[in-house]
Amino acid sequence: MSLLASPPFNKGSAFTKKEREEFGLHGLLPPNVQSLEEQVERAYDQYSSRQDALAKNTFMTSMKEQNEVLYYKLINDHLKEMFGIIYTPTEGDAIQNFSRLFRKPEGCFLNILDQDQVYDNLAQFGKPEDIDYIVVTDGEEILGIGDQGVGGILISVAKSVITTLCAGVHPSRTLAVVLDCGTDNEQLLTDELYLGLRQPRVRGNRYDKFVDTFVQSARKLYPRAYIHFEDFGLPNARRLLDLYRPHMACFNDDVQGTGCVTLAGVMAGLEVSKVKMTDMRMVIFGSGTAGTGIADQVRDAIAADSEKSKEDAAKQIWQGYDTPLFKGEYTDSKTIDYARDDEDWENISHDDLLSVVKQVKPHILIGTSTKPKAFTEEIIKEMAKHVDRPIIFPLSNPTRLHEADPKDINEWTRGKALIATGSPFPPVEYDGKKYEIAECNNSTCFPGLALGTILSRSRLLSDKMLVAAVKALAAMSPALKDPDKGLLPDVVDVREISVKIAKAVIKQALEEDLAIEEGIPKSDNDLDEWVREQMWEPRYRPLKRVTK
Protein backbone atom coordinates (compact mmCIF):
# COMPACT_ATOMS: atom_id res chain seq x y z
CA MET A 1 0.00 0.00 0.00
CA SER A 2 2.81 2.44 0.91
CA LEU A 3 4.43 1.85 -2.48
CA LEU A 4 1.32 3.16 -4.27
CA ALA A 5 1.48 6.29 -2.12
CA SER A 6 5.15 6.99 -2.93
CA PRO A 7 5.43 9.24 -6.06
CA PRO A 8 9.08 8.30 -6.86
CA PHE A 9 8.30 4.56 -6.84
CA ASN A 10 4.62 4.30 -7.77
CA LYS A 11 4.05 2.74 -11.19
CA GLY A 12 0.27 2.46 -10.96
CA SER A 13 -1.04 0.07 -13.60
CA ALA A 14 2.52 -0.55 -14.85
CA PHE A 15 3.62 -2.67 -11.87
CA THR A 16 4.63 -6.04 -13.32
CA LYS A 17 3.01 -9.28 -12.18
CA LYS A 18 6.17 -10.18 -10.31
CA GLU A 19 6.22 -6.81 -8.51
CA ARG A 20 2.53 -7.12 -7.65
CA GLU A 21 3.18 -10.48 -6.03
CA GLU A 22 6.35 -9.41 -4.25
CA PHE A 23 4.84 -6.23 -2.78
CA GLY A 24 1.34 -7.54 -2.14
CA LEU A 25 -0.37 -5.28 -4.65
CA HIS A 26 -2.94 -7.79 -5.93
CA GLY A 27 -6.41 -6.49 -5.21
CA LEU A 28 -5.13 -2.91 -5.06
CA LEU A 29 -4.81 -2.50 -8.83
CA PRO A 30 -6.84 -3.45 -11.91
CA PRO A 31 -5.46 -6.74 -13.35
CA ASN A 32 -4.23 -5.48 -16.73
CA VAL A 33 -0.52 -4.56 -16.71
CA GLN A 34 0.19 -1.54 -18.91
CA SER A 35 3.31 0.08 -20.30
CA LEU A 36 4.47 3.60 -19.47
CA GLU A 37 3.60 4.61 -23.04
CA GLU A 38 0.00 3.44 -22.57
CA GLN A 39 -0.21 5.38 -19.31
CA VAL A 40 1.07 8.50 -21.07
CA GLU A 41 -1.62 8.16 -23.74
CA ARG A 42 -4.36 7.98 -21.11
CA ALA A 43 -2.87 10.81 -19.06
CA TYR A 44 -2.59 13.06 -22.12
CA ASP A 45 -6.28 12.49 -22.93
CA GLN A 46 -7.15 13.45 -19.34
CA TYR A 47 -4.90 16.51 -19.53
CA SER A 48 -6.45 17.61 -22.82
CA SER A 49 -9.95 17.44 -21.37
CA ARG A 50 -9.18 20.17 -18.79
CA GLN A 51 -10.95 23.37 -19.76
CA ASP A 52 -8.24 25.99 -19.21
CA ALA A 53 -4.52 26.43 -18.54
CA LEU A 54 -4.83 26.67 -14.74
CA ALA A 55 -6.93 23.50 -14.62
CA LYS A 56 -4.26 21.75 -16.66
CA ASN A 57 -1.58 23.03 -14.28
CA THR A 58 -3.57 21.69 -11.31
CA PHE A 59 -3.99 18.34 -13.06
CA MET A 60 -0.23 18.09 -13.60
CA THR A 61 0.46 18.96 -9.97
CA SER A 62 -1.88 16.17 -8.89
CA MET A 63 -0.12 13.72 -11.20
CA LYS A 64 3.29 14.68 -9.79
CA GLU A 65 1.97 13.92 -6.31
CA GLN A 66 0.96 10.43 -7.46
CA ASN A 67 3.47 9.16 -10.04
CA GLU A 68 6.69 11.07 -10.65
CA VAL A 69 7.94 9.04 -13.62
CA LEU A 70 4.63 9.34 -15.47
CA TYR A 71 4.56 13.08 -14.76
CA TYR A 72 7.98 13.69 -16.29
CA LYS A 73 7.44 11.30 -19.19
CA LEU A 74 4.17 13.00 -20.14
CA ILE A 75 5.81 16.44 -20.17
CA ASN A 76 8.87 15.12 -21.98
CA ASP A 77 6.66 13.71 -24.78
CA HIS A 78 4.70 16.98 -25.09
CA LEU A 79 7.33 19.50 -24.00
CA LYS A 80 6.52 22.33 -26.40
CA GLU A 81 2.82 22.21 -25.58
CA MET A 82 3.13 21.80 -21.81
CA PHE A 83 6.06 24.05 -21.02
CA GLY A 84 3.88 27.13 -20.58
CA ILE A 85 1.52 25.13 -18.35
CA ILE A 86 4.03 23.85 -15.82
CA TYR A 87 6.11 27.06 -15.95
CA THR A 88 5.48 30.65 -16.99
CA PRO A 89 2.92 32.00 -17.67
CA THR A 90 0.47 29.52 -16.07
CA GLU A 91 2.62 28.81 -13.03
CA GLY A 92 2.22 32.48 -12.14
CA ASP A 93 -1.55 31.98 -11.92
CA ALA A 94 -1.02 28.89 -9.76
CA ILE A 95 1.25 30.84 -7.42
CA GLN A 96 -1.31 33.63 -7.06
CA ASN A 97 -3.90 31.00 -6.13
CA PHE A 98 -1.56 28.88 -3.97
CA SER A 99 -3.55 29.12 -0.74
CA ARG A 100 -6.85 28.41 -2.49
CA LEU A 101 -5.61 25.47 -4.58
CA PHE A 102 -3.44 23.96 -1.82
CA ARG A 103 -3.84 20.21 -1.36
CA LYS A 104 -0.52 18.72 -0.37
CA PRO A 105 2.74 20.39 0.73
CA GLU A 106 5.86 20.01 -1.38
CA GLY A 107 9.30 21.35 -0.46
CA CYS A 108 10.60 22.99 2.68
CA PHE A 109 8.74 25.86 4.37
CA LEU A 110 10.98 28.02 6.56
CA ASN A 111 9.61 31.09 8.35
CA ILE A 112 11.36 34.02 9.93
CA LEU A 113 9.58 33.59 13.27
CA ASP A 114 11.24 30.19 13.77
CA GLN A 115 14.86 30.90 12.87
CA ASP A 116 16.05 28.57 15.60
CA GLN A 117 14.34 25.68 13.78
CA VAL A 118 15.84 26.26 10.32
CA TYR A 119 18.61 23.68 10.68
CA ASP A 120 16.31 20.97 12.02
CA ASN A 121 13.65 21.68 9.39
CA LEU A 122 16.17 21.39 6.56
CA ALA A 123 17.71 18.25 8.06
CA GLN A 124 14.50 16.28 7.41
CA PHE A 125 15.22 16.02 3.68
CA GLY A 126 18.14 13.62 3.65
CA LYS A 127 21.74 12.85 4.44
CA PRO A 128 24.68 15.05 3.37
CA GLU A 129 25.15 13.19 0.09
CA ASP A 130 21.41 13.12 -0.82
CA ILE A 131 20.84 16.66 -2.12
CA ASP A 132 22.56 18.12 -5.20
CA TYR A 133 20.39 21.11 -6.04
CA ILE A 134 18.50 23.57 -3.82
CA VAL A 135 16.17 26.23 -5.24
CA VAL A 136 15.23 28.92 -2.73
CA THR A 137 13.01 32.00 -2.92
CA ASP A 138 11.67 34.58 -0.50
CA GLY A 139 8.63 35.10 -2.73
CA GLU A 140 9.03 38.85 -3.09
CA GLU A 141 9.31 39.29 -6.86
CA ILE A 142 7.63 36.33 -8.56
CA LEU A 143 7.49 36.09 -12.37
CA GLY A 144 6.61 39.75 -12.83
CA ILE A 145 3.55 39.47 -10.54
CA GLY A 146 5.28 40.75 -7.41
CA ASP A 147 5.11 39.68 -3.78
CA GLN A 148 3.38 36.30 -3.41
CA GLY A 149 4.59 35.41 0.08
CA VAL A 150 4.58 31.72 0.91
CA GLY A 151 3.11 30.90 -2.51
CA GLY A 152 6.62 31.44 -3.82
CA ILE A 153 7.32 27.80 -2.93
CA LEU A 154 5.77 26.91 -6.29
CA ILE A 155 8.43 28.82 -8.24
CA SER A 156 11.10 26.85 -6.37
CA VAL A 157 9.26 23.64 -7.23
CA ALA A 158 8.87 24.71 -10.88
CA LYS A 159 12.56 25.51 -11.27
CA SER A 160 13.46 22.13 -9.77
CA VAL A 161 11.11 20.43 -12.23
CA ILE A 162 12.60 22.34 -15.18
CA THR A 163 16.12 21.33 -14.15
CA THR A 164 15.08 17.67 -14.02
CA LEU A 165 13.25 17.86 -17.34
CA CYS A 166 15.88 19.82 -19.21
CA ALA A 167 19.11 18.54 -17.70
CA GLY A 168 18.31 15.23 -16.04
CA VAL A 169 19.12 16.25 -12.47
CA HIS A 170 17.51 13.48 -10.40
CA PRO A 171 14.18 14.72 -8.96
CA SER A 172 14.83 13.06 -5.60
CA ARG A 173 18.10 14.96 -5.29
CA THR A 174 16.50 18.40 -5.56
CA LEU A 175 14.99 20.50 -2.79
CA ALA A 176 12.56 23.42 -3.17
CA VAL A 177 12.61 25.98 -0.33
CA VAL A 178 10.63 29.11 0.53
CA LEU A 179 11.80 31.64 3.10
CA ASP A 180 8.58 33.11 4.48
CA CYS A 181 9.40 36.61 5.74
CA GLY A 182 5.82 37.87 5.64
CA THR A 183 4.30 39.74 2.71
CA ASP A 184 3.46 43.30 1.70
CA ASN A 185 0.70 42.03 -0.59
CA GLU A 186 -2.46 43.43 1.01
CA GLN A 187 -4.66 41.03 -0.92
CA LEU A 188 -2.87 38.09 0.71
CA LEU A 189 -2.83 39.68 4.16
CA THR A 190 -6.60 40.07 4.08
CA ASP A 191 -7.29 36.64 2.59
CA GLU A 192 -8.62 34.37 5.33
CA LEU A 193 -7.31 31.31 3.47
CA TYR A 194 -3.73 32.64 3.09
CA LEU A 195 -1.29 30.02 4.39
CA GLY A 196 1.78 32.18 5.03
CA LEU A 197 2.76 34.56 7.82
CA ARG A 198 0.11 37.28 8.19
CA GLN A 199 2.46 40.19 8.75
CA PRO A 200 4.34 42.81 6.74
CA ARG A 201 7.53 41.59 5.13
CA VAL A 202 10.53 41.67 7.49
CA ARG A 203 13.60 43.53 6.20
CA GLY A 204 16.98 44.71 7.43
CA ASN A 205 19.29 42.85 9.79
CA ARG A 206 16.68 40.36 10.89
CA TYR A 207 16.05 39.39 7.26
CA ASP A 208 19.77 39.08 6.54
CA LYS A 209 20.25 36.86 9.58
CA PHE A 210 17.39 34.61 8.44
CA VAL A 211 18.83 34.20 4.95
CA ASP A 212 22.30 33.53 6.36
CA THR A 213 20.92 30.97 8.80
CA PHE A 214 19.39 29.16 5.85
CA VAL A 215 22.55 29.35 3.73
CA GLN A 216 24.88 28.17 6.50
CA SER A 217 22.50 25.38 7.53
CA ALA A 218 22.13 24.20 3.93
CA ARG A 219 25.90 24.19 3.41
CA LYS A 220 26.49 22.23 6.59
CA LEU A 221 23.72 19.70 5.98
CA TYR A 222 24.23 19.29 2.23
CA PRO A 223 27.81 20.33 1.47
CA ARG A 224 27.64 19.07 -2.15
CA ALA A 225 24.54 21.10 -3.02
CA TYR A 226 24.47 23.92 -5.55
CA ILE A 227 22.15 26.74 -4.41
CA HIS A 228 19.89 28.53 -6.89
CA PHE A 229 18.40 31.84 -5.65
CA GLU A 230 15.10 32.63 -7.38
CA ASP A 231 12.76 35.65 -7.49
CA PHE A 232 14.20 37.60 -4.57
CA GLY A 233 13.18 41.26 -4.45
CA LEU A 234 15.16 43.98 -6.22
CA PRO A 235 16.90 45.25 -3.05
CA ASN A 236 18.21 41.78 -2.20
CA ALA A 237 18.77 39.69 -5.35
CA ARG A 238 22.09 41.14 -6.49
CA ARG A 239 23.27 41.95 -2.95
CA LEU A 240 22.84 38.38 -1.71
CA LEU A 241 24.44 36.92 -4.83
CA ASP A 242 27.47 39.18 -4.39
CA LEU A 243 27.67 38.21 -0.71
CA TYR A 244 27.66 34.43 -1.17
CA ARG A 245 29.09 33.90 -4.65
CA PRO A 246 32.78 34.22 -3.62
CA HIS A 247 32.33 31.43 -1.04
CA MET A 248 30.18 28.74 -2.66
CA ALA A 249 28.65 27.49 -5.88
CA CYS A 250 25.46 29.52 -6.24
CA PHE A 251 23.42 31.21 -8.92
CA ASN A 252 20.60 33.73 -9.28
CA ASP A 253 18.47 33.13 -12.36
CA ASP A 254 17.03 36.66 -12.40
CA VAL A 255 20.44 38.33 -12.19
CA GLN A 256 22.54 35.81 -14.13
CA GLY A 257 20.18 33.47 -16.01
CA THR A 258 18.35 36.13 -18.00
CA GLY A 259 21.69 37.77 -18.73
CA CYS A 260 23.25 34.51 -19.91
CA VAL A 261 20.52 33.49 -22.34
CA THR A 262 20.21 37.06 -23.65
CA LEU A 263 23.96 37.25 -24.13
CA ALA A 264 23.84 34.01 -26.13
CA GLY A 265 21.23 35.60 -28.40
CA VAL A 266 23.33 38.75 -28.65
CA MET A 267 26.44 36.73 -29.58
CA ALA A 268 24.53 34.91 -32.31
CA GLY A 269 23.07 38.18 -33.57
CA LEU A 270 26.47 39.84 -33.71
CA GLU A 271 27.84 36.86 -35.61
CA VAL A 272 25.03 37.12 -38.17
CA SER A 273 25.43 40.90 -38.47
CA LYS A 274 29.26 40.60 -38.59
CA VAL A 275 29.86 43.01 -35.68
CA LYS A 276 32.55 42.30 -33.07
CA MET A 277 31.57 42.14 -29.43
CA THR A 278 34.24 44.72 -28.63
CA ASP A 279 32.76 47.17 -31.16
CA MET A 280 29.04 46.88 -30.45
CA ARG A 281 26.88 49.49 -28.69
CA MET A 282 23.95 48.38 -26.56
CA VAL A 283 21.00 50.25 -25.05
CA ILE A 284 19.06 48.49 -22.28
CA PHE A 285 15.65 50.00 -21.59
CA GLY A 286 14.92 49.03 -17.98
CA SER A 287 17.06 49.31 -14.86
CA GLY A 288 15.76 46.46 -12.70
CA THR A 289 17.36 43.14 -11.83
CA ALA A 290 16.90 41.60 -15.29
CA GLY A 291 18.29 44.62 -17.16
CA THR A 292 21.29 44.92 -14.89
CA GLY A 293 21.90 41.17 -15.04
CA ILE A 294 22.01 41.37 -18.84
CA ALA A 295 24.37 44.35 -18.69
CA ASP A 296 26.64 42.46 -16.28
CA GLN A 297 26.86 39.36 -18.48
CA VAL A 298 27.57 41.39 -21.63
CA ARG A 299 30.19 43.47 -19.83
CA ASP A 300 31.89 40.38 -18.40
CA ALA A 301 31.89 38.67 -21.80
CA ILE A 302 33.53 41.69 -23.45
CA ALA A 303 36.18 41.78 -20.73
CA ALA A 304 36.77 38.00 -20.86
CA ASP A 305 37.35 38.03 -24.63
CA SER A 306 39.48 41.17 -24.86
CA GLU A 307 42.10 43.20 -23.09
CA LYS A 308 39.43 45.57 -21.79
CA SER A 309 38.74 46.02 -18.09
CA LYS A 310 35.17 45.61 -16.85
CA GLU A 311 35.02 49.37 -16.39
CA ASP A 312 35.93 50.00 -20.02
CA ALA A 313 33.62 47.24 -21.23
CA ALA A 314 30.73 48.86 -19.34
CA LYS A 315 31.17 52.00 -21.47
CA GLN A 316 29.69 50.11 -24.43
CA ILE A 317 26.38 49.77 -22.56
CA TRP A 318 23.76 52.44 -21.91
CA GLN A 319 21.12 51.50 -19.36
CA GLY A 320 18.16 53.34 -17.94
CA TYR A 321 14.42 53.92 -18.01
CA ASP A 322 13.47 56.52 -20.66
CA THR A 323 16.87 58.20 -20.18
CA PRO A 324 20.38 56.92 -19.41
CA LEU A 325 21.47 56.79 -15.80
CA PHE A 326 23.79 59.56 -14.68
CA LYS A 327 26.29 59.55 -11.85
CA GLY A 328 24.98 62.91 -10.66
CA GLU A 329 21.55 61.40 -10.13
CA TYR A 330 20.52 58.88 -7.47
CA THR A 331 21.64 55.47 -8.61
CA ASP A 332 21.64 52.28 -6.54
CA SER A 333 24.61 49.93 -6.32
CA LYS A 334 23.24 47.59 -8.98
CA THR A 335 23.27 50.15 -11.77
CA ILE A 336 26.06 52.57 -10.88
CA ASP A 337 28.47 50.63 -13.13
CA TYR A 338 26.47 51.77 -16.17
CA ALA A 339 25.81 55.38 -15.15
CA ARG A 340 27.30 58.02 -17.46
CA ASP A 341 29.26 61.11 -16.53
CA ASP A 342 26.97 64.14 -16.67
CA GLU A 343 29.42 66.15 -18.75
CA ASP A 344 29.41 63.48 -21.49
CA TRP A 345 25.82 64.42 -22.32
CA GLU A 346 26.00 68.15 -21.65
CA ASN A 347 23.91 70.07 -24.21
CA ILE A 348 22.82 66.75 -25.79
CA SER A 349 19.13 65.85 -25.77
CA HIS A 350 18.43 62.74 -23.69
CA ASP A 351 14.89 63.27 -22.47
CA ASP A 352 13.51 60.04 -23.91
CA LEU A 353 14.48 56.73 -25.50
CA LEU A 354 14.29 58.15 -29.03
CA SER A 355 16.89 60.84 -28.31
CA VAL A 356 19.17 58.23 -26.70
CA VAL A 357 18.91 55.97 -29.75
CA LYS A 358 19.67 58.93 -32.03
CA GLN A 359 22.80 59.76 -30.04
CA VAL A 360 24.14 56.25 -29.26
CA LYS A 361 23.22 54.60 -32.59
CA PRO A 362 23.05 51.17 -30.91
CA HIS A 363 23.54 47.84 -32.62
CA ILE A 364 21.41 46.26 -29.89
CA LEU A 365 18.23 47.45 -28.15
CA ILE A 366 16.93 45.39 -25.21
CA GLY A 367 13.73 45.97 -23.27
CA THR A 368 13.20 44.86 -19.67
CA SER A 369 11.01 47.81 -18.67
CA THR A 370 7.55 46.14 -18.54
CA LYS A 371 6.41 49.26 -20.45
CA PRO A 372 4.15 48.07 -23.30
CA LYS A 373 4.76 49.44 -26.80
CA ALA A 374 7.75 51.50 -25.62
CA PHE A 375 9.69 50.60 -28.80
CA THR A 376 7.75 52.81 -31.18
CA GLU A 377 7.95 52.81 -34.97
CA GLU A 378 9.98 56.02 -34.87
CA ILE A 379 12.52 54.54 -32.44
CA ILE A 380 12.93 51.31 -34.41
CA LYS A 381 13.27 53.12 -37.74
CA GLU A 382 15.81 55.51 -36.23
CA MET A 383 17.88 52.55 -35.04
CA ALA A 384 17.66 50.88 -38.45
CA LYS A 385 19.10 54.01 -40.12
CA HIS A 386 22.48 53.42 -38.51
CA VAL A 387 22.99 49.63 -38.49
CA ASP A 388 22.40 47.01 -41.18
CA ARG A 389 20.90 44.32 -38.94
CA PRO A 390 19.43 45.88 -35.78
CA ILE A 391 19.29 43.40 -32.90
CA ILE A 392 16.09 44.04 -30.94
CA PHE A 393 14.97 42.07 -27.89
CA PRO A 394 11.63 43.13 -26.26
CA LEU A 395 11.92 40.82 -23.25
CA SER A 396 9.34 42.03 -20.72
CA ASN A 397 6.84 39.41 -19.56
CA PRO A 398 4.02 38.59 -19.78
CA THR A 399 3.28 39.16 -23.46
CA ARG A 400 1.01 42.15 -22.81
CA LEU A 401 4.02 44.01 -21.37
CA HIS A 402 6.34 43.50 -24.36
CA GLU A 403 7.99 46.70 -25.56
CA ALA A 404 6.95 45.89 -29.15
CA ASP A 405 5.34 43.16 -31.23
CA PRO A 406 7.86 41.21 -33.34
CA LYS A 407 5.54 41.53 -36.35
CA ASP A 408 5.74 45.33 -36.13
CA ILE A 409 9.51 45.36 -35.60
CA ASN A 410 9.97 43.14 -38.63
CA GLU A 411 7.82 45.39 -40.82
CA TRP A 412 9.40 48.62 -39.58
CA THR A 413 12.89 47.29 -40.41
CA ARG A 414 11.81 45.63 -43.67
CA GLY A 415 12.80 42.19 -42.42
CA LYS A 416 16.31 43.24 -41.35
CA ALA A 417 15.88 43.05 -37.57
CA LEU A 418 17.21 40.10 -35.58
CA ILE A 419 14.56 39.60 -32.92
CA ALA A 420 14.25 37.67 -29.68
CA THR A 421 11.43 37.95 -27.15
CA GLY A 422 10.69 37.02 -23.55
CA SER A 423 7.69 34.87 -24.48
CA PRO A 424 7.01 32.54 -27.41
CA PHE A 425 5.79 34.17 -30.64
CA PRO A 426 4.89 32.59 -33.97
CA PRO A 427 7.02 33.29 -37.07
CA VAL A 428 6.45 36.62 -38.81
CA GLU A 429 6.39 37.45 -42.51
CA TYR A 430 7.61 40.34 -44.63
CA ASP A 431 7.45 40.57 -48.40
CA GLY A 432 6.49 36.90 -48.67
CA LYS A 433 9.42 35.71 -46.52
CA LYS A 434 9.05 33.98 -43.15
CA TYR A 435 11.25 34.84 -40.14
CA GLU A 436 11.43 32.81 -36.92
CA ILE A 437 11.32 34.64 -33.59
CA ALA A 438 13.68 33.34 -30.93
CA GLU A 439 12.54 33.11 -27.33
CA CYS A 440 14.99 34.15 -24.61
CA ASN A 441 13.97 31.24 -22.41
CA ASN A 442 16.19 30.87 -19.36
CA SER A 443 15.38 27.17 -19.35
CA THR A 444 17.76 26.63 -22.25
CA CYS A 445 20.63 27.79 -20.02
CA PHE A 446 20.25 27.44 -16.24
CA PRO A 447 19.59 23.66 -16.19
CA GLY A 448 22.79 22.90 -18.13
CA LEU A 449 24.71 25.27 -15.86
CA ALA A 450 23.36 23.42 -12.84
CA LEU A 451 24.21 20.02 -14.32
CA GLY A 452 27.80 21.02 -15.12
CA THR A 453 28.36 22.57 -11.71
CA ILE A 454 26.84 19.59 -9.89
CA LEU A 455 28.73 16.91 -11.84
CA SER A 456 32.08 18.69 -11.48
CA ARG A 457 31.39 19.49 -7.81
CA SER A 458 32.79 22.92 -8.56
CA ARG A 459 33.63 24.98 -5.49
CA LEU A 460 32.32 28.15 -7.20
CA LEU A 461 30.41 29.20 -10.28
CA SER A 462 32.89 31.62 -11.88
CA ASP A 463 32.41 34.36 -14.49
CA LYS A 464 34.33 32.26 -17.01
CA MET A 465 32.09 29.25 -16.35
CA LEU A 466 29.08 31.45 -17.14
CA VAL A 467 30.71 32.71 -20.33
CA ALA A 468 31.54 29.13 -21.32
CA ALA A 469 27.86 28.22 -20.92
CA VAL A 470 26.78 31.22 -22.98
CA LYS A 471 29.20 30.38 -25.81
CA ALA A 472 27.98 26.79 -25.88
CA LEU A 473 24.38 28.00 -26.15
CA ALA A 474 25.20 30.62 -28.80
CA ALA A 475 27.05 28.01 -30.87
CA MET A 476 23.77 26.11 -31.28
CA SER A 477 21.94 29.12 -32.74
CA PRO A 478 19.94 28.08 -35.85
CA ALA A 479 20.59 31.58 -37.25
CA LEU A 480 24.28 30.76 -37.71
CA LYS A 481 23.25 28.41 -40.52
CA ASP A 482 20.24 30.38 -41.76
CA PRO A 483 19.86 34.06 -40.70
CA ASP A 484 16.06 33.80 -41.08
CA LYS A 485 15.96 31.17 -38.31
CA GLY A 486 15.80 31.95 -34.60
CA LEU A 487 18.80 33.37 -32.78
CA LEU A 488 18.45 30.75 -30.03
CA PRO A 489 17.73 27.00 -30.17
CA ASP A 490 14.23 25.78 -29.42
CA VAL A 491 13.33 24.48 -25.97
CA VAL A 492 12.34 21.12 -27.50
CA ASP A 493 16.06 20.44 -27.97
CA VAL A 494 16.87 21.42 -24.41
CA ARG A 495 18.34 18.12 -23.15
CA GLU A 496 20.89 18.14 -25.94
CA ILE A 497 21.55 21.82 -25.24
CA SER A 498 22.09 21.02 -21.56
CA VAL A 499 24.67 18.35 -22.40
CA LYS A 500 26.67 20.86 -24.45
CA ILE A 501 26.43 23.53 -21.76
CA ALA A 502 27.33 21.10 -18.96
CA LYS A 503 30.41 19.94 -20.85
CA ALA A 504 31.56 23.53 -21.41
CA VAL A 505 31.00 24.38 -17.73
CA ILE A 506 32.90 21.28 -16.55
CA LYS A 507 35.85 21.98 -18.85
CA GLN A 508 36.08 25.56 -17.56
CA ALA A 509 35.82 24.42 -13.94
CA LEU A 510 38.72 22.04 -14.56
CA GLU A 511 40.75 24.77 -16.24
CA GLU A 512 40.27 27.08 -13.25
CA ASP A 513 41.01 24.25 -10.79
CA LEU A 514 37.55 24.64 -9.25
CA ALA A 515 36.30 21.08 -9.88
CA ILE A 516 36.47 18.76 -6.88
CA GLU A 517 35.03 15.63 -8.51
CA GLU A 518 37.68 13.03 -9.33
CA GLY A 519 37.92 11.01 -12.51
CA ILE A 520 36.33 13.52 -14.87
CA PRO A 521 37.17 12.40 -18.43
CA LYS A 522 39.49 14.65 -20.40
CA SER A 523 38.52 13.72 -23.96
CA ASP A 524 35.41 15.33 -25.45
CA ASN A 525 33.79 12.03 -26.43
CA ASP A 526 34.40 10.43 -23.05
CA LEU A 527 33.15 13.54 -21.26
CA ASP A 528 30.01 13.53 -23.41
CA GLU A 529 29.29 9.92 -22.46
CA TRP A 530 30.09 10.60 -18.78
CA VAL A 531 27.60 13.48 -18.64
CA ARG A 532 24.83 11.57 -20.41
CA GLU A 533 25.21 8.53 -18.17
CA GLN A 534 24.42 10.66 -15.13
CA MET A 535 21.29 12.31 -16.51
CA TRP A 536 18.07 10.93 -15.06
CA GLU A 537 15.39 9.83 -17.53
CA PRO A 538 11.70 9.17 -16.81
CA ARG A 539 11.43 5.40 -17.13
CA TYR A 540 10.36 2.70 -14.72
CA ARG A 541 13.14 0.80 -12.97
CA PRO A 542 12.65 -2.78 -11.71
CA LEU A 543 11.81 -2.84 -8.00
CA LYS A 544 12.94 -5.49 -5.53
CA ARG A 545 11.96 -5.91 -1.90
CA VAL A 546 14.89 -5.33 0.44
CA THR A 547 14.78 -6.91 3.88
CA LYS A 548 16.52 -5.16 6.73
Side-chain angles (χ1 to χ4, degrees), residues 491-506:
V491 72
V492 297
D493 303 316
V494 72
R495 283 181 77 93
E496 196 62 33
I497 294 167
S498 292
V499 171
K500 298 282 200 305
I501 290 175
K503 286 167 59 182
V505 168
I506 291 168

Side-chain angles (χ1 to χ4, degrees), residues 456-459 506 509-510 512-518 520:
S456 65
R457 301 295 171 195
S458 182
R459 293 183 288 106
I506 291 168
L510 286 168
E512 294 183 73
D513 200 26
L514 293 173
I516 296 174
E517 183 67 24
E518 297 180 357
I520 299 175

Side-chain angles (χ1 to χ4, degrees), residues 137-186:
T137 185
D138 69 355
E140 186 173 8
E141 196 63 46
I142 300 290
L143 292 174
I145 57 175
D147 190 342
Q148 298 301 316
V150 76
I153 186 65
L154 293 187
I155 194 61
S156 295
V157 171
K159 290 289 186 175
S160 299
V161 166
I162 295 298
T163 305
T164 295
L165 271 173
C166 300
V169 174
H170 198 294
S172 297
R173 301 184 65 80
T174 69
L175 176 60
V177 179
V178 64
L179 305 178
D180 188 351
C181 307
T183 179
D184 292 333
N185 185 329
E186 286 297 326

